[in-house]
Amino acid sequence: MQKYIERANVLIEALPYIQRLFGKTIVIKYGGAAMTNEDLTQKILEDVTLLKFVGMNPILVHGGGPDINHMLDSLDIKPKFVDGLRVTDDATMEVVQMVLTGKINKEIVARLNGMGAGAIGLCGIDGNIIKAVKAPPKNGVDLGNVGQIVSINTDLLNTLAHDQYIPVIAPVGTGDHGESYNINADTVAGAIATALKAEKLIFLTDTDGVRTKEDDPESLLYVASKTDILNMIDEGKITGGMLPKVSSCLSAIEKGVGRAHILNGTIPHPIILEIFTDSGIGTMVTG
Ligand SMILES: Nc1ncnc2c1ncn2[C@@H]1O[C@H](COP(=O)(O)OP(=O)(O)O)[C@@H](O)[C@H]1O
Ligand SMILES: CC(=O)N[C@@H](CCC(=O)OP(=O)(O)O)C(=O)O
């Protein structure tokens, strides 16, 4: 009997968090770096399903950088990045769209729906969810078909949430003439969270958060302020794929998103651990 009472207590402890976040939008970015193992993916998707069934509105934005690299490699195309952004020529854009919208998006949706989650897979082209223009050069380098977000179709996302769907969004945007743009998934998650005035923006990656020394787990920051982050960027302590995450967190918070977190998506149930515990896990970014 004691065992069952303890289980009941665990559920009751979640009550204040469920009450606070009931009906609220939670944008979760699931990065390619954390997509390492099917069991862990399943646990993340269970977390997302649970959020929906306790009355929250999760929106999942996914990446897939490593899978894109893998496919490029098999086609003998060398990936090139500037500050975490993929330089995307026409051949690379075809691969990006195929891998993100065809392979990864459908795998995630199929798994969620296998749990009865009511997921719907989309990319920014569908329903003009993400309108974009060509991004300006970065550090003097032309990024090719990389997009800069112009608008998010919040009406469609709100309709889907209202009808109890979980939108699963691949980070490909569309231009005025139907052209496709490759957009970093962190940037897409931040823009969607901002446009929807989400309560929470959560980045799931392959490291436990922002570290002052990238390779030292002891140097994890539980809270990182804007000043901390800008100083670390200046000092070269935040690099590569962490740059768009911290920028998206700062921009989203400045524009009214409640909370922004960077978490380790390679541990079991990271979303539940963040949302249903007081201390949370990972790094919380503040303004
Ligand atoms: N200061 C930092 N703290 C933690 N990770 C960092 C930092 N600077 C750079 N990184 C790198 O950012 C990576 C996460 O970004 P990325 O590989 O693009 O993941 P994702 O696919 O989840 O977007 C980490 O694995 C780490 O190598
Ligand atoms: C412009 C740009 O860099 N786009 C990314 C889109 C995928 C992504 O962001 O995937 P991760 O979250 O796994 O890094 C790319 O081509 O890799």
Side-chain angles (χ1 to χ4, degrees):
M1 180 55 90
Q2 192 54 36
K3 190 172 81 185
Y4 297 115
I5 294 172
E6 276 164 25
R7 277 193 202 159
N9 282 337
V10 169
L11 282 173
I12 292 300
E13 276 169 28
L15 182 59
Y17 303 101
I18 295 173
Q19 283 174 320
R20 191 157 47 79
L21 293 171
F22 188 83
K24 298 278 168 47
T25 300
I26 299 178
V27 176
I28 297 155
K29 189 270 173 155
Y30 183 28
M35 296 174 184
T36 49
N37 159 324
E38 301 224 331
D39 280 353
L40 290 170
T41 297
Q42 188 69 15
K43 289 187 167 52
I44 284 170
L45 300 182
E46 282 169 1
D47 288 8
V48 173
T49 305
L50 188 140
L51 297 190
K52 188 70 187 177
F53 280 93
V54 296
M56 301 171 200
N57 291 322
I59 294 181
L60 192 61
V61 176
H62 64 83
D67 268 8
I68 297 169
N69 290 343
H70 189 71
M71 184 60 80
L72 288 174
D73 190 46
S74 68
L75 295 169
D76 265 339
I77 303 174
K78 256 206 152 6
K80 189 176 165 202
F81 290 87
V82 179
D83 278 353
L85 300 178
R86 185 186 303 279
V87 179
T88 308
D89 63 13
D90 290 351
T92 304
M93 187 65 230
E94 268 190 45
V95 173
V96 166
Q97 186 162 320
M98 181 173 73
V99 171
L100 292 177
T101 70
K103 180 175 184 285
I104 300 177
N105 189 272
K106 298 313 150 204
E107 281 172 5
I108 293 174
V109 170
R111 273 169 175 264
L112 280 168
N113 286 343
M115 289 186 260
I120 179 162
L122 303 159
C123 76
I125 302 171
D126 299 294
N128 286 326
I129 286 184
I130 308 167
K131 288 294 296 285
V133 293
K134 181 177 161 66
K138 190 102 183 163
N139 300 342
V141 179
D142 180 351
L143 297 173
N145 299 294
V146 170
Q148 176 168 292
I149 298 174
V150 174
S151 63
I152 301 290
N153 183 349
T154 50
D155 286 348
L156 176 55
L157 293 172
N158 284 328
T159 300
L160 293 171
H162 177 266
D163 290 348
Q164 303 308 327
Y165 285 104
I166 301 176
V168 177
I169 300 173
V172 173
T174 186
D176 273 345
H177 307 289
E179 67 277 29
S180 293
Y181 286 111
N182 181 16
I183 309 174
N184 181 275
D186 299 328
T187 310
V188 167
I192 289 177
T194 302
L196 292 171
K197 298 188 175 44
E199 191 63 27
K200 265 186 194 283
L201 169 61
I202 295 176
F203 291 92
L204 298 173
T205 185
D206 64 347
T207 178
D208 45 4
V210 179
R211 297 172 175 171
T212 54
K213 293 185 198 120
E214 188 184 328
D215 296 326
D216 179 5
E218 299 292 311
S219 73
L220 173 70
L221 294 176
Y222 296 98
V223 178
S225 69
K226 181 176 178 178
T227 315
D228 294 334
I229 287 172
L230 295 181
N231 285 340
M232 285 171 71
I233 293 174
D234 266 0
E235 292 159 6
K237 291 180 178 167
I238 295 181
T239 57
M242 192 52 74
L243 283 168
K245 280 179 238 316
V246 292
S247 305
S248 295
C249 286
L250 288 178
S251 156
I253 290 165
E254 270 171 14
K255 292 178 186 150
V257 170
R259 293 264 165 98
H261 305 266
I262 300 170
L263 316 181
N264 193 343
T266 68
I267 59 168
H269 300 299
I271 303 171
I272 299 294
L273 290 172
E274 168 50 43
I275 289 191
F276 296 110
T277 60
D278 271 338
S279 52
I281 57 170
T283 301
M284 182 168 90
V285 177
T286 61

